[in-house]
Amino acid sequence: MMQQYLALKAQAPDALLLYRLGDFYELFLDDAELAAPLLDLVLTTRDRDTPDPVPMCGIPAHAAETYIRKLLAEGHAVAIADQVEDARQSRGLVRREIVERASPGLVGNPDRLESQGANYLAAIFVDEQAAAGAAAESPGSTEAYGLAWVDISTGEFAATQTDDAARFRAELARIAPREVVAPDTEKDLGLPTRCAEAGEFDPQRVADRVGRLPAGLSANETSPLARAAAAVWSTVSRAQPAALTHVQWLRRWTASDHLVLDPPTRRHLEISANLRDGGRSHTLLELLDETRTALGRRRLEQWIGEPLLDPAAIRERQDRVETWLEPDSRRRALGDALRRVGDLERALVRATLPSGGARELVALRDSLRGAAAVGEVTPLEDVGADVAADIARVLVDEPSAPPRGEPHTGYVRDGADDEVDEIRRDSDEGRRYLESLEAAERERTGIGSLKVKYHRVFGYSIEVTKAQVARVPSEYRRKQTMVNAERFTTDELERWEGSVLRSRERAAAAEARVVEELRGRAAGASDRVRKLASAIAELDTAQSLAAVARAGEWVRPEIDTSLELEIDSGRHPVVERTAPDGFVPNDVRVDADDAQLLILTGPNMAGKSTLLRQVALTVLLAQAGSFVPARRARIGVADRIFTRVGASDSLATGESTFMVEMRETAAILSEATPRSLVLLDEIGRGTSTFDGLSIAWAVAEHLHDAPGLRPRTLFATHYHELADLARTKPRVRNFHFACAERGDEVLFLRRMEPGAASRSYGIEVARRADLPPKVIRRAREVLANLERGEFDERGEPRIARGSGSPGQLNLFEPSPDPVLEELRALDPESMTPIEALVALGRLRTQLQEDE
Ligand code: ADP
Ligand code: MG
């Protein structure tokens, strides 16, 4: 047996092999040691007495799905080895084969997924030559990066390409695939990666091998997009060929049509995962999710994950949201109908997989009936009524679960299929005999406790308690002895039993055939059903955003292509919900040609970071098609949003270092465009004050000055010196967060006001904290000294000086010093000792005067 096991294991080296043994799936050796703690199973050993006992653990076959789901969720691939011949008919070892495989990114059966969210396998392709060209910005550089992703539990298949490495990484991070297929040159992605050979990325070769490609992908295409898509197609065909039927067409996705959020920004904004524990609570998505179907939830994630750039397309989404704003009763009616739809996409996949039985088809029917109910609230083109009706005509309303190890019958409706009807008619007499046997025999024998029993292995028998055994008729033959009873059979019973069991097998086969036909018809309609699911997903997303907008009194933002940003009384959508004393709204205006760079100063806890995030979220929401938490908003679309948080401010993630902060900042400076929105939060904080301030200053200047750049920027900082930028830079505006005093307390008003924060704020806090008056007085003096040195004669900040400015010290090119000049001019050889002494004295006096 271990030989057979090892042979099977060799076919699935990367997967945990579940090996069927009786009523259990067993895992052996390394697999057992890995899985036992994960699944909370007892690790035992086989052949305990041998010197090398084999570790093993087992999961009960009837509960296998739960364990498989867990293993997949933990990122492990599984292979299932089942017995492929009847144990009763085989001699020696039963033959076993790997009958199914699943890996985290390729889960064909939706029941095996832990979440209702999307579950992607991705493939990437990098054209190294084009990538090098794009990096060098050589003219005519072509698309270099291809990315394709598939969810075989829903049938979604999409691909994109770009010549921008950063955009490519951002997309990959957004899609967050569970597994990636990549050429072996790209295996260090930081994601579970399967390496694939070059042939897998060749659409022509993949088409030849698999036999076909999905609609939207042609064999003679050689773009990176096509290559990545081919690799996805090939991988699915090898690992889960049955799933290809669900993947009908390739959606081509254009990265440049969408607002890009790079990975750190996504993290800082807590869009789908919070910074605290990576969970969904207090995230934007949790807040926006009033969807009623899993379809809608996935689509909402898509809308929020892929905000748009085209104002017309954004307005179209806004229109849809607005449709469901009022009246509330209509939106609720839609919600109630939507709830009945459930996860139509996955219901379709379940029902049309080979494992799909009567119950899966009936679930599809119910989901489609839900769609029909939606169609009564709002017009839908095609609700698949014929598919639902077909299932309803053939199958009973509520089919029973298939019994374990026995023929499953009784789920096809009477009158739906001639063969099934005929078999049922044929077996009627036998069934009636068995049904009436108990009553008849009780009466005949006078044994009140007599029962007719059925057992999966032993078949039918007549059971009589021990106390009454003496009274059984002579034709009863003893079949089985129990603790308290005896079981008997008779010739007649055996005859009928044989006929009933035979017709049950026939019925099971006939009903299975009926279901298979039905499954085929449902699969034939799958394109239409998928379209329907997509329409419902849009509806659900729109009503969800409408519900949120309505409850939070959000407004529809104006969208245009200006480089401006106007938010009146804006709020942070998530913080607003939890602020104990209510949330203070703020106005924000940014304009690439005027107030381009806002410097926000103020003490800790004043509300700077919140404001930054609130602006970013408002722009993101607006471009996703949602309403926004404000009284009025006008958004000139942004192509990218960058958010950076200084090292010590993002300790929550526990991984930030100053180096990371600087790397992220460098990425902004190289990737931002004039249409970008840049939010810098305490940049430079992760190092010493002078260092940090200098970096912050230089970064801000660059964003202001760099020709052709000028992205709309908000810069929050506790370095109040940065406020001095406004003295020399025309598009810099200062704001601060107002505070008030109440007795010895500082009250944060959370109100953003023009002008920089007071410099002596910290000393003020120290005073209230009862530092000795003498210390406070001295601190004020020191501060005054520092401030005196801050500006030059012309009132310009000294910190702003550069090496090119006139009339100032320059370390690298010293201006001529009169003493040095004179020294240089001396000619000691021609001087008398007295002359030399006089010159020396004069130089010394001059030096003393200079001091
Ligand atoms: P800073 O970045 O200036 O240190 P934060 O933005 O982190 O301050 O804000 C600190 C806390 O103040 C937040 O956690 C939030 O609870 C609260 N807060 C911030 N802005 C507001 C506001 N506008 N209205 C009400 N509470 C706010
Ligand atoms: Mg902060």
Side-chain angles (χ1 to χ4, degrees):
M1 192 200 79
M2 279 316 279
Q3 274 170 9
Q4 187 190 49
Y5 171 82
L6 290 171
L8 289 168
K9 178 69 194 171
Q11 295 170 25
D14 300 328
L16 295 169
L17 182 65
L18 307 188
Y19 182 86
R20 182 69 181 248
L21 203 59
D23 288 338
F24 281 81
Y25 283 107
E26 300 287 355
L27 293 105
F28 294 110
L29 299 165
D30 292 351
D31 285 5
E33 284 178 352
L34 196 151
L38 273 181
L39 299 176
D40 226 351
L41 295 172
V42 182
L43 188 66
T44 59
T45 50
R46 218 184 131 72
D47 304 332
R48 238 166 285 220
D49 305 328
T50 59
D52 240 344
V54 174
M56 64 182 274
C57 61
I59 57 184
H62 66 87
E65 285 303 320
T66 315
Y67 290 98
I68 293 172
R69 191 159 61 217
K70 184 91 194 290
L71 289 172
L72 290 168
E74 296 276 347
H76 299 286
V78 293
I80 300 163
D82 256 326
Q83 302 173 346
V84 291
E85 60 185 355
D86 194 328
R88 282 170 300 189
Q89 264 127 55
S90 77
R91 290 210 202 137
L93 195 59
V94 182
R95 210 151 49 79
R96 292 180 177 81
E97 276 172 16
I98 293 178
V99 295
E100 242 188 298
R101 289 165 195 265
S103 64
L106 281 180
V107 182
N109 185 342
D111 295 332
R112 296 205 174 133
L113 292 171
E114 292 230 303
S115 92
Q116 298 193 319
N119 196 73
Y120 294 124
L121 169 101
I124 63 163
F125 179 83
V126 181
D127 180 336
E128 303 293 346
Q129 229 173 335
E137 286 177 53
S138 69
S141 67
T142 52
E143 307 288 14
Y145 303 90
L147 172 63
W149 59 99
V150 72
D151 180 350
I152 60 170
S153 69
T154 62
E156 181 190 354
F157 185 20
T160 189
Q161 60 188 356
T162 173
D163 59 0
D164 180 341
R167 202 178 263 269
F168 168 68
R169 279 192 303 274
E171 284 312 313
L172 188 59
R174 177 180 66 80
I175 290 158
R178 300 289 319 273
E179 272 179 280
V180 181
V181 180
D184 49 15
T185 46
E186 307 290 332
K187 54 181 175 286
D188 303 320
L189 292 164
L191 288 161
T193 305
R194 312 178 174 201
C195 291
E197 289 167 16
E200 303 283 286
F201 295 87
D202 180 343
Q204 185 65 61
R205 281 165 69 181
V206 170
D208 289 346
R209 189 179 64 71
V210 181
R212 69 184 181 93
L213 291 174
L217 179 63
S218 73
N220 53 21
E221 245 186 297
T222 56
S223 64
L225 178 154
R227 288 170 172 282
V232 163
W233 188 253
S234 177
T235 306
V236 177
S237 79
R238 285 183 197 279
Q240 301 266 333
L244 287 187
T245 51
H246 302 294
V247 185
Q248 302 284 346
W249 65 286
L250 178 68
R251 176 169 72 111
R252 284 170 183 256
W253 195 86
T254 315
S256 56
D257 288 348
H258 295 85
L259 166 63
V260 175
L261 303 170
D262 58 351
T265 300
R266 237 165 235 294
R267 255 197 330 273
H268 297 322
L269 293 181
E270 305 192 286
I271 293 171
S272 53
N274 67 41
L275 288 170
R276 198 165 27 84
D277 58 9
R280 204 174 150 99
S281 67
H282 295 104
T283 60
L284 182 67
L285 270 171
E286 184 203 41
L287 176 98
L288 297 175
D289 191 358
E290 291 292 334
T291 60
R292 299 289 178 253
T293 68
L295 306 170
R297 180 167 313 168
R298 289 193 293 271
R299 186 62 59 93
L300 176 68
E301 265 179 53
Q302 222 176 62
W303 278 29
I304 300 302
E306 312 171 353
L308 305 172
L309 294 186
D310 174 21
I314 295 170
R315 278 181 218 122
E316 199 195 310
R317 283 189 182 178
Q318 290 178 331
D319 287 344
R320 280 194 244 177
V321 174
E322 198 163 282
T323 316
W324 295 103
L325 216 51
E326 295 177 295
D328 293 338
S329 58
R330 182 160 167 270
R331 191 180 59 250
R332 275 193 217 107
L334 176 69
D336 290 342
L338 284 169
R339 238 190 268 275
R340 295 178 48 196
V341 179
D343 196 339
L344 178 55
E345 280 174 335
R346 285 185 178 161
L348 176 71
V349 169
R350 278 194 192 96
T352 52
L353 279 176
S355 59
R359 280 152 75 92
E360 284 73 21
L361 282 157
V362 161
L364 175 62
R365 175 203 68 193
D366 289 344
S367 206
L368 288 169
R369 284 179 177 167
V374 171
E376 279 167 27
V377 182
T378 184
L380 280 171
E381 216 172 278
D382 170 14
V383 294
D386 52 329
V387 182
D390 191 20
I391 299 171
R393 186 181 55 75
V394 175
L395 298 181
V396 299
D397 289 344
E398 286 181 51
S400 59
R404 239 186 286 151
E406 276 195 76
H408 188 203
T409 60
Y411 49 82
V412 171
R413 244 183 232 290
D414 284 333
D417 183 85
D418 290 346
E419 190 195 350
V420 171
D421 286 347
E422 194 189 312
I423 296 169
R424 282 183 187 164
R425 263 198 309 278
D426 286 354
S427 61
D428 245 15
E429 203 181 340
R431 256 213 327 265
R432 268 203 302 278
Y433 168 82
L434 289 173
E435 276 165 15
S436 59
L437 184 62
E438 190 172 287
E441 288 297 293
R442 271 188 200 177
E443 171 145 8
R444 192 166 74 85
T445 60
I447 304 174
S449 64
L450 183 148
K451 287 194 185 89
V452 171
K453 295 261 173 171
Y454 173 74
H455 183 277
R456 174 149 68 96
V457 178
F458 301 111
Y460 283 93
S461 57
I462 301 169
E463 189 179 289
V464 176
T465 56
K466 287 247 163 90
Q468 296 190 304
V469 161
R471 297 171 60 188
V472 303
S474 59
E475 70 272 23
Y476 274 27
R477 272 185 284 120
R478 181 161 293 132
K479 200 169 165 184
Q480 211 187 349
T481 302
M482 323 281 294
V483 182
N484 294 318
E486 298 275 348
R487 286 182 177 168
F488 301 91
T489 186
T490 66
D491 289 347
E492 194 183 20
L493 172 55
E494 272 185 352
R495 226 176 25 251
W496 284 116
E497 176 186 13
S499 118
V500 165
L501 293 184
R502 269 192 308 279
S503 53
R504 189 177 297 167
E505 302 247 341
R506 274 177 62 214
E511 295 197 37
R513 178 203 26 92
V514 171
V515 155
E516 201 179 308
E517 287 163 10
L518 196 54
R519 206 160 55 206
R521 291 201 293 277
S526 74
D527 256 5
R528 282 161 53 213
V529 174
R530 236 173 264 285
K531 268 199 202 93
L532 170 64
S534 177
I536 288 177
E538 294 273 299
L539 269 176
D540 196 7
T541 303
Q543 73 78 26
S544 177
L545 291 176
V548 173
R550 177 105 168 115
E553 298 185 19
W554 292 10
V555 295
R556 175 174 174 154
E558 294 164 51
I559 307 286
D560 57 37
T561 53
S562 71
L563 293 174
E564 291 155 37
L565 192 59
E566 271 182 51
I567 304 173
D568 289 355
S569 296
R571 288 117 54 200
H572 187 297
V574 178
V575 176
E576 170 179 36
R577 299 230 164 163
T578 51
D581 308 318
F583 193 89
V584 182
N586 276 299
D587 298 343
V588 177
R589 267 183 181 53
V590 199
D591 175 351
D593 293 321
D594 184 31
Q596 177 222 329
L597 199 161
L598 312 192
I599 305 260
L600 265 59
T601 42
N604 252 335
M605 287 301 286
K608 304 182 296 295
S609 302
T610 306
L611 184 99
L612 253 51
R613 292 183 165 100
Q614 138 188 349
V615 169
L617 290 173
T618 300
V619 171
L620 183 153
L621 282 168
Q623 293 186 221
S626 168
F627 283 30
V628 299
R631 204 163 59 207
R632 191 188 79 88
R634 189 166 67 83
I635 312 286
V637 285
D639 62 351
R640 313 185 70 147
I641 299 179
F642 295 97
T643 313
R644 287 303 178 277
V645 177
S648 64
D649 227 53
S650 64
L651 283 180
T653 59
E655 55 184 351
S656 280
T657 65
F658 181 61
M659 187 65 190
V660 172
E661 176 191 334
M662 286 299 107
R663 218 177 264 139
E664 292 180 1
T665 307
I668 297 184
L669 299 189
S670 74
E671 293 164 24
T673 77
R675 189 157 281 293
S676 301
L677 177 64
V678 177
L679 304 162
L680 299 173
D681 194 354
E682 304 282 12
I683 282 300
R685 194 164 166 176
T687 182
S688 76
T689 304
F690 275 20
D691 252 20
L693 173 55
S694 316
I695 293 168
W697 186 282
V699 167
E701 271 191 353
H702 180 85
L703 291 169
H704 181 276
D705 293 348
L709 183 56
R710 294 191 191 179
R712 286 164 285 178
T713 305
L714 271 70
F715 200 142
T717 179
H718 72 293
Y719 293 127
H720 57 68
E721 288 89 344
L722 276 193
D724 296 341
L725 262 177
R727 292 169 188 260
T728 55
K729 302 291 174 190
R731 291 183 307 282
V732 171
R733 300 285 182 280
N734 284 323
F735 288 90
H736 70 282
F737 276 87
C739 296
E741 303 170 14
R742 192 175 62 193
D744 276 354
E745 266 181 284
V746 181
L747 223 76
F748 295 115
L749 299 181
R750 318 281 189 210
R751 222 174 38 237
M752 195 173 94
E753 291 177 351
S758 153
R759 283 150 198 254
S760 57
Y761 176 82
I763 298 177
E764 190 53 28
V765 172
R767 185 182 67 77
R768 286 157 207 250
D770 284 337
L771 246 66
K774 219 174 132 194
V775 173
I776 297 294
R777 252 194 321 276
R778 182 60 185 147
R780 291 218 167 98
E781 280 170 20
V782 174
L783 177 67
N785 290 338
L786 286 172
E787 288 186 342
R788 208 166 299 136
E790 219 170 290
F791 303 102
D792 64 14
E793 325 61 58
R794 288 177 299 169
E796 295 209 341
R798 284 185 202 276
I799 196 176
R801 286 178 174 177
S803 51
S805 314
Q808 64 185 23
L809 283 168
N810 190 318
L811 289 173
F812 306 105
E813 260 178 63
S815 53
D817 182 299
V819 179
L820 290 176
E821 292 290 285
E822 191 169 345
L823 251 177
R824 257 188 219 113
L826 291 182
D827 180 12
E829 248 125 88
S830 68
M831 290 167 91
T832 65
I834 293 295
E835 279 171 345
L837 275 176
V838 170
L840 200 56
R842 194 174 58 239
L843 284 169
R844 202 180 75 139
T845 319
Q846 205 170 329
L847 271 179
Q848 275 165 347
E849 275 170 10
D850 277 5
E851 279 169 17

